[in-house]
Amino acid sequence: MTREDYMAHALGLAERGRGRTSPNPVVGAVIVKDGAIIGEGWHKKCGENHAEINAFEDAAAKNQDVEGAEMYVTLEPCSHYGKTPPCAKAIIRKKIKKVYVGLLDPNPLVAGRGIRMMEEAGIQVESGILEEECRRINEIFLKYITEKRPFVVMKTAMTLDGKIAAYTGDSKWVSGEASRAIVQKMRNSLTGIMAGIGTVLTDDPRLTCRLEGGRDPVRIIVDSNLKIPLDAKVLKDENCIVAAVENRGGEKANQLRERGVTVLTTKEKRGRVDLAELMEQLGARGIDSILLEGGGGLNEAALKAGIVDRTVTFIAPKFIGGKDAKTPVEGQGFEKMDQAICLKNIEINRIGDDLMIQGTPERK
Ligand SMILES: NC(=O)c1ccc[n+]([C@@H]2O[C@H](COP(=O)([O-])OP(=O)(O)OC[C@H]3O[C@@H](n4cnc5c(N)ncnc54)[C@H](OP(=O)(O)O)[C@@H]3O)[C@@H](O)[C@H]2O)c1
């Protein structure tokens, strides 16, 4: 196996922690000696062992001696005392000979110090192995640690003629089963899920995760005037945030708070919730990632406000027609084609009979 093969294996391990490590990164580590993997680990949950320590424990459980071995780790080993002691020190203590690092940790508490600490102890370090892949698996962490605002994924599903529902509002279902299963995984792994009041009033969704053994994201409803009915399904479960414009909605804010709902307020922007300010407030509450599930009104505002970091669009091979049928991005839109929000880093996959197109909106 090549260095890249070992790092790819570590990337696969890192993925196993997805959705449980927030606000920490997902990290995988592999220990290699004489051409064989003798230990492997990943960060399973915030507050618990880091990947490197789990790899050492795995090697110990297999009675393997790690002295003189090489380690592959997707993210620079930490150098500071946080919830757990520094991994760089453990690597030195275990007498690892060489460490291959995928990506430097931009966390100001680490930022190159982990590598320096190991090098000063005589360990060889080579960084940048599958760097792009290592960055991609931690795009949420990388944004949150540097900007303290959530990474927002805008998910939409539409027909070939660009509709997200029939003209009657019926939308069950636009995309196929396999696509919907991916969405459930996203709900299971991202910290929050956000929808506009229009979607709540039309569909009365629960916005929960229907995966067996899955966990529900924090529900965030954007509702400038607190129109949300007190018996809305989304309010029935714990962990719901309603965002409104300050001094709107009268008694409703208190009624919601009495029911255990968190009501956040922002200043108004064009008469509505200021989405950029809302992202700052949500980031300060520890929400590092959000699945934006529309509808079209909120999607357009989110794209224009520049808060969307990734779009995931499912296109189902069917036509539903109807000039009044809703589309994924509504509002007024832009005047000219050259104002369009273009995507970069595009990925296209076929999911069952659907297409899944992902990309990063370019900031203008
Ligand atoms: N297929 C799919 O992927 C999918 C996903 C979700 C929804 N949908 C469909 O989408 C439809 C609902 O879409 P919609 O456009 O009517 O409603 P929406 O996007 O869910 O909500 C729009 C409302 O959000 C509120 N809002 C608060 N702050 C805002 C801001 N800064 N910018 C924009 N809006 C803000 C506004 O009401 P206030 O001014 O009162 O606050 C606005 O009218 C439903 O038919 C639903 O079935 C489809």
Side-chain angles (χ1 to χ4, degrees), residues 155-158 163-166 169-171 174 195-203 222-227 243 245 248 269 271-275 292-302 326-328 330-331:
K155 169 257 146 187
T156 53
M158 66 178 193
K163 314 291 184 188
I164 61 172
D170 180 51
S171 59
V174 174
I197 183 63
T199 297
V200 173
L201 295 177
T202 319
D203 297 349
V222 192
D223 177 14
S224 316
N225 303 298
L226 294 179
K227 287 187 290 203
V245 170
R248 301 250 184 105
K269 188 153 188 197
R272 287 177 159 164
V273 170
D274 181 337
L275 297 177
L292 170 60
E293 285 211 38
L298 187 59
N299 287 346
E300 194 235 18
K326 298 249 184 200
T327 67
E330 305 237 304

Side-chain angles (χ1 to χ4, degrees), residues 103-233:
L103 181 73
L104 291 196
D105 189 341
N107 182 346
L109 291 170
V110 185
R113 284 194 200 100
I115 289 183
R116 224 173 307 132
M117 196 182 257
M118 294 188 293
E119 282 177 339
E120 279 166 12
I123 297 176
Q124 296 171 49
V125 181
E126 201 174 319
S127 44
I129 319 289
L130 297 187
E131 184 172 357
E132 256 328 291
E133 290 82 345
C134 291
R135 189 189 315 283
R136 177 71 203 270
I137 62 161
N138 270 318
E139 53 193 359
I140 291 173
F141 167 76
L142 295 171
K143 173 166 183 184
Y144 190 64
I145 196 83
T146 50
E147 297 181 28
K148 278 278 168 267
R149 282 182 286 122
F151 186 93
V152 177
V153 180
M154 184 182 105
K155 169 257 146 187
T156 53
M158 66 178 193
T159 59
L160 262 185
D161 51 343
K163 314 291 184 188
I164 61 172
Y167 77 93
T168 54
D170 180 51
S171 59
K172 286 192 175 63
W173 299 103
V174 174
S175 56
E177 216 169 292
S179 303
R180 300 203 307 275
I182 291 178
V183 176
Q184 291 302 318
K185 279 194 188 156
M186 292 163 88
R187 287 185 176 190
N188 185 41
S189 67
L190 298 175
T191 305
I193 184 168
M194 187 163 90
I197 183 63
T199 297
V200 173
L201 295 177
T202 319
D203 297 349
D204 196 15
R206 295 188 83 98
L207 301 178
T208 50
C209 173
R210 291 187 285 271
L211 277 190
E212 206 172 306
R215 64 109 181 87
D216 292 333
V218 178
R219 268 79 68 192
I220 304 150
I221 306 304
V222 192
D223 177 14
S224 316
N225 303 298
L226 294 179
K227 287 187 290 203
I228 191 164
L230 291 171
D231 61 355
K233 284 192 190 134

Side-chain angles (χ1 to χ4, degrees), residues 304-321:
K304 279 190 169 162
I307 65 163
V308 179
D309 298 288
R310 169 123 55 98
T311 64
V312 179
T313 307
F314 295 94
I315 304 177
K318 50 178 95 159
F319 298 97
I320 188 73

Side-chain angles (χ1 to χ4, degrees), residues 322-336:
K323 65 179 167 36
D324 295 327
K326 298 249 184 200
T327 67
V329 181
E330 305 237 304
Q332 192 185 0
F334 294 108
E335 254 182 309
K336 300 271 188 192

Side-chain angles (χ1 to χ4, degrees), residues 279-298:
M279 290 306 114
E280 272 170 34
Q281 291 193 33
L282 294 172
R285 302 178 81 85
I287 295 182
D288 63 349
S289 52
I290 291 176
L291 181 62
L292 170 60
E293 285 211 38
L298 187 59

